[in-house]
């Protein structure tokens, strides 16, 4: 029965991520066509800030919820969920204020009115996006995949038609309009999430206890989130400064196509951390090792198949999606697929480390990659151009994977040794 429930959860999670990633991919294409290279580059840079704040939300709230929540006694689970929701509401209001203030301050310092126009929509999209992200993860963590699927469906039912209408109803639209559309779609989904979450009760003692437990889990993940953003987006941001916004638009357009490969990797977040946490809680290290091995096999097979499909004719694929305005995007696709393949290894290993709450291992992997990014980003991009961006991203993912793989191998060997010792003791007891 548990195995059937697990398979059902994986199927819904995979379908939901196909919906989310496919919709985001389509929205990216529509935005490119509506904005053009320069304005899409501005939207992409603004969205980087949204994702940066979302990475902090993931480290402080969502990741602990996925790994600590399944270990709660059933009698305590509702109080725990109420406390996590309270954390999320407080956090998203704070992050929204930070986004608004940052854009306003940047506009004042640079005397650029465009930044001031982005301030309000940027704050609104941060709050709505983080609430919607929380609820979709919460529903999957609580084995309510249909509700989570409806949550995502509502968002994109609003967002896709509105984005498609941009080119016709609002010629010359700006990045601020794109942000308002995302905020509207996420707000509708967040409202559905609040309704289906049910009645929430405030309990200060539980909130304090949960916050302390989350802090113990997240104290290494929060700096890791900062470094994740630096390593995953650092080369892209530096390319914007060195090569210009138009180049960012083309690079982001190519990255959007390889984003198809991330469908499974993002789907893992809906079920894999919860299942890994349950595996170690119920069956111990041996069951976790089996869970991770199965996850790695499934993930690697699907990712390699997706990469192969993109590389059949990347030039034709880029022309089909973007038209003649983005010539040269297809040439980047085979190279951008390489970091994705290595990122797959890191993704599975992060799930393992989080399941045993060894978040310091995750921190050190990001620390090593961040040091490399800080040292190498500017010279690689300045002297290598777009090739330097690709090489840098590949090296970043390789460093992270190596830093995670070494402790995993040591842990796996120690687990196998313990298993052999138990088997030997059991055999001796049987003979006696």
């Amino acid at each position: 029965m548990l195995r059937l429930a697990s398979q059902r959860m994986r199927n819904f999670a995979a379908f939901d991520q196909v919906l989310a990633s496919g919709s985001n991919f389509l929205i990216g294409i529509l935005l490119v066509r509506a904005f053009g290279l320069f304005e899409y580059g501005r939207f992409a840079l603004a969205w980087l800030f949204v994702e940066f704040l979302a990475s902090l939300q993931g480290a402080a709230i969502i990741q602990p919820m996925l790994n600590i929540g399944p270990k709660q006694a059933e009698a305590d689970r509702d109080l725990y969920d109420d406390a996590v929701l309270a954390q999320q509401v407080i956090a998203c209001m704070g992050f929204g204020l930070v986004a608004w203030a940052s854009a306003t301050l940047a506009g004042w310092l640079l005397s650029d009115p465009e930044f001031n126009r982005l301030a309000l929509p940027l704050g609104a999209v941060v709050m709505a996006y983080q609430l919607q992200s929380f609820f979709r993860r919460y529903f999957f963590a609580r084995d309510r995949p249909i509700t989570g699927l409806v949550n995502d469906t509502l968002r994109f039912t609003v967002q896709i038609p509105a984005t498609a209408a941009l080119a016709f109803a609002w010629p010359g639209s700006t990045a601020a309009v794109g942000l308002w559309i995302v905020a509207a779609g996420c707000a509708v989904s967040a409202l559905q999430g609040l309704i289906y979450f049910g009645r929430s009760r405030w309990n200060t003692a539980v909130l304090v206890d949960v916050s302390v437990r989350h802090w113990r889990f997240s104290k290494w993940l929060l700096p890791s989130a900062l470094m994740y953003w630096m390593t995953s987006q650092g080369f892209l941001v530096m390319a914007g400064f060195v090569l210009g916004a138009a180049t960012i638009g083309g690079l982001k357009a190519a990255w959007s196509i390889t984003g198809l490969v991330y469908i499974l990797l993002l789907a893992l977040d809906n079920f894999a951390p919860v299942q890994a946490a349950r595996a170690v809680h119920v069956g111990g290290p041996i069951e976790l090792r089996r869970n991770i091995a199965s996850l790695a096999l499934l993930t690697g097979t699907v990712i390699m198949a997706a990469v192969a499909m993109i590389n059949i004719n990347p030039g034709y694929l880029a022309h089909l999606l973007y038209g003649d305005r983005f010539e040269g995007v297809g040439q980047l696709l085979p190279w951008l697929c390489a970091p994705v393949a290595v990122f797959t290894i890191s993704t599975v290993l992060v799930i393992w480390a989080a399941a045993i709450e060894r978040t310091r291992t995750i921190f050190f992997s990001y620390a090593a990659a961040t040091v490399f990014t800080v040292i190498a980003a500017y010279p690689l991009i300045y002297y290598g151009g777009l090739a330097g961006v690709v090489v840098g991203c590949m090296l970043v993912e390789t460093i992270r994977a190596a830093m995670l793989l070494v402790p995993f191998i040591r842990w796996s060997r120690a687990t196998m040794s313990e298993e052999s010792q138990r088997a030997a003791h059991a055999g001796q007891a049987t003979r006696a």
Side-chain angles (χ1 to χ4, degrees):
M1 183 67 75
L2 288 175
R3 189 169 294 179
L4 288 175
S6 174
Q7 184 60 43
R8 176 173 172 270
M9 178 64 69
R10 289 190 182 192
N11 292 339
F12 271 106
F15 182 77
D16 175 78
Q17 199 56 57
V18 168
L19 169 69
S21 297
S23 298
N24 282 321
F25 177 69
L26 175 60
I27 288 167
I29 294 172
L30 294 173
L31 286 174
V32 170
R33 290 182 175 273
F35 288 157
L37 271 175
F38 181 78
E39 199 62 32
Y40 180 69
R42 292 184 68 245
F43 176 86
L45 289 173
W47 192 252
L48 287 178
F49 190 64
V50 177
E51 290 184 331
F52 165 66
L53 294 178
S55 69
L56 299 181
Q57 172 210 18
I61 298 171
I62 292 179
Q63 197 67 32
M65 177 183 71
L66 296 178
N67 287 276
I68 296 173
K71 301 172 184 176
Q72 300 297 308
E74 195 61 34
D76 300 330
R77 187 64 190 267
D78 288 342
L79 287 173
Y80 173 83
D81 290 344
D82 292 342
V84 176
L85 176 60
Q87 281 187 329
Q88 178 59 68
V89 171
I90 294 170
C92 73
M93 291 175 64
F95 286 137
L97 182 61
V98 167
W100 172 82
S102 298
T104 302
L105 180 62
W108 178 72
L109 291 175
L110 300 175
S111 300
D112 188 344
E114 292 299 324
F115 278 102
N116 291 325
R117 294 189 186 102
L118 285 176
L120 190 57
L122 190 62
V125 77
V126 165
M127 290 190 289
Y129 178 71
Q130 292 201 1
L131 271 178
Q132 193 264 333
S133 297
F134 169 80
F135 282 120
R136 71 184 292 263
R137 296 290 180 82
Y138 166 78
F139 290 133
F140 278 98
R142 288 289 267 160
D143 294 329
R144 297 166 64 184
I146 295 177
T147 309
L149 181 61
V150 171
N151 187 269
D152 269 335
T153 302
L154 282 173
R155 171 189 169 182
F156 295 114
T157 299
V158 173
Q159 199 172 334
I160 291 175
T163 307
L166 271 181
F168 308 100
W170 203 320
S173 55
T174 63
V177 177
L179 292 175
W180 277 122
I181 290 175
V182 179
C186 291
V188 171
S189 294
L191 179 61
Q192 181 260 5
L194 282 170
I195 294 172
Y196 280 86
F197 183 89
R199 186 175 181 179
S200 178
R201 295 164 294 175
W202 179 275
N203 189 312
T204 303
V206 175
L207 177 60
V208 171
D209 289 343
V210 170
S211 299
V212 170
R213 178 76 189 274
H214 278 205
W215 168 249
R216 290 173 184 159
F217 183 91
S218 298
K219 64 183 178 182
W220 293 105
L221 287 184
L222 279 168
S224 297
L226 293 170
M227 291 184 291
Y228 167 76
W229 189 86
M230 288 185 64
T231 55
S232 63
Q233 309 293 348
F235 278 88
L236 192 62
V237 173
M238 184 61 70
F241 286 112
V242 177
L243 304 177
T247 302
I248 282 289
L251 186 60
K252 188 67 175 177
W255 233 309
S256 295
I257 298 177
T258 60
L260 292 171
V261 183
Y262 285 91
I263 289 177
L264 176 64
L265 298 180
L266 293 173
L268 295 181
D269 288 338
N270 290 337
F271 68 90
V274 174
Q275 291 187 355
R278 287 175 181 166
V280 73
H281 183 61
V282 175
I286 296 173
E287 186 61 30
L288 177 61
R289 195 179 71 229
R290 291 172 184 158
N291 176 276
I292 294 298
S294 173
L295 184 65
L297 178 62
L298 171 66
T299 306
T301 301
V302 177
I303 291 299
M304 289 302 103
V307 167
M309 290 179 62
I310 290 177
N311 283 277
I312 291 175
N313 194 337
Y316 173 76
L317 181 61
H319 177 78
L320 178 68
L321 295 174
Y322 298 132
D324 297 328
R325 291 189 297 172
F326 283 71
E327 289 186 16
V329 167
Q331 300 174 8
L332 289 171
L333 291 180
W335 300 104
L336 290 176
C337 284
V340 175
V342 183
F343 180 73
T344 303
I345 301 172
S346 302
T347 300
V348 175
L349 293 174
V350 164
I351 291 171
W352 155 76
I356 60 175
E357 300 187 28
R358 192 180 288 184
T359 52
R360 187 168 61 174
T361 300
I362 302 173
F363 168 81
F364 284 130
S365 71
Y366 283 122
T370 300
V371 170
F372 170 79
T373 301
V374 171
I375 295 173
Y378 180 78
L380 276 175
I381 295 171
Y382 183 81
Y383 294 106
L386 287 177
V389 176
V390 175
V391 170
C393 291
M394 180 65 185
L395 291 174
V396 162
E397 296 304 334
T398 302
I399 291 169
R400 281 193 59 230
M403 292 292 293
L404 289 164
L405 190 59
V406 171
F408 172 77
I409 291 173
R410 291 174 179 170
W411 173 86
S412 184
R413 286 176 178 173
T415 303
M416 292 175 66
S417 176
E418 290 178 8
E419 185 177 0
S420 300
Q421 291 175 6
R422 290 177 184 175
H425 288 314
Q428 291 174 1
T430 302
R431 287 194 298 270

